[in-house]
Amino acid sequence: MDLRNEHRTLVRRAMKHDEAAFEQLVLLHSEQLYRTAYLYVKNEHDALDVVQETVYKAFISIEQVKEPKYFVTWITKILIRNCYRVLEKQQPTDDIVLHIPVQEDQSREEHLDLVHALSRLRKEYRDVLVLFYFHDIPMKEIASFIGITLNTVKTYLKRGREELKVQLGGVDYGTARPTK
């Protein structure tokens, strides 16, 4: 059985309130959820709180997943909404970056620059870029997830990349992953 089928089987089991299957799903996606939460709330404590709240909300409403293949999209949507709730409560004077998990192929400085640049983007651009590049969610799913057209997703990706490129002063960021 390939990984996709195993993942879908886990989701189906979790949808039938199999706690062990749900726990496996959380373990599989916890790092990705944490990184996304951190991109939004910009500190470790709040990011961990957001992930915990997301896992709780996902657990109590797991039967709302329409298709097992959309589980990651569904839980990410819950996570982003929780991030916005936390951000609404924060003071605007919060430090931009405290502790960031750095990917192996990036220097800490590059990662800090990227997170800072993402935080300065329009919300719409940031959401689409994070979902597409950090979660590898296809554009069609992003469109239905956010409630916009596919062409709008493409536009947001293009404009978001252009703004990031200007903010970061580089040429490599615009060609990181083609949008097809």
Side-chain angles (χ1 to χ4, degrees):
M1 188 183 310
D2 69 0
L3 290 177
R4 282 188 185 158
N5 286 335
E6 284 182 39
H7 189 266
R8 288 180 184 165
T9 301
L10 274 177
V11 174
R12 282 188 194 97
R13 286 180 35 214
M15 290 171 69
K16 294 176 183 174
H17 300 286
D18 180 336
E19 291 180 20
F22 185 80
E23 184 178 351
Q24 284 183 303
L25 286 168
V26 169
L27 290 173
L28 276 171
H29 300 290
S30 61
E31 186 175 331
Q32 183 180 24
L33 292 170
Y34 172 77
R35 286 177 184 234
T36 302
Y38 196 94
L39 281 170
Y40 281 88
V41 298
K42 298 172 193 66
N43 74 65
E44 182 178 4
H45 184 269
D46 286 343
L48 290 170
D49 285 348
V50 165
V51 171
Q52 182 178 0
E53 182 70 15
T54 299
V55 169
Y56 169 72
K57 287 181 178 180
F59 182 73
I60 63 172
S61 59
I62 186 71
E63 67 278 349
Q64 292 179 7
V65 175
K66 291 182 173 70
E67 295 266 341
K69 67 182 180 180
Y70 298 126
F71 173 79
V72 175
T73 305
W74 174 78
I75 199 165
T76 302
K77 187 175 187 177
I78 295 170
L79 179 97
I80 291 172
R81 287 182 179 161
N82 286 332
C83 287
Y84 285 134
R85 284 189 191 103
V86 167
L87 290 171
E88 287 172 3
K89 295 176 185 177
Q90 287 181 346
Q91 296 293 327
T93 57
D94 285 346
D95 288 342
I96 190 80
V97 178
L98 296 176
H99 300 85
I100 292 180
V102 179
Q103 294 179 358
E104 292 176 18
D105 63 339
Q106 279 184 318
S107 73
R108 180 159 176 81
E109 184 177 299
E110 287 173 330
H111 193 71
L112 290 172
D113 289 343
L114 178 60
V115 170
H116 186 261
L118 278 169
S119 70
R120 293 187 315 206
L121 289 178
R122 281 181 45 188
K123 174 187 166 304
E124 296 85 2
Y125 299 168
R126 182 177 59 240
D127 288 349
V128 170
L129 287 168
V130 167
L131 292 171
F132 188 73
Y133 288 104
F134 290 87
H135 287 282
D136 294 323
I137 296 176
M139 285 186 276
K140 285 182 182 179
E141 284 184 44
I142 294 171
S144 75
F145 168 63
I146 296 179
I148 58 178
T149 67
L150 179 61
N151 283 336
T152 302
V153 170
K154 291 177 182 178
T155 300
Y156 286 175
L157 280 171
K158 183 175 188 269
R159 290 179 182 169
R161 280 193 312 265
E162 288 170 355
E163 281 190 29
L164 277 178
K165 189 175 176 180
V166 169
Q167 288 182 28
L168 295 168
V171 293
D172 295 335
Y173 289 97
T175 58
R177 178 177 163 200
T179 57
K180 297 177 191 161

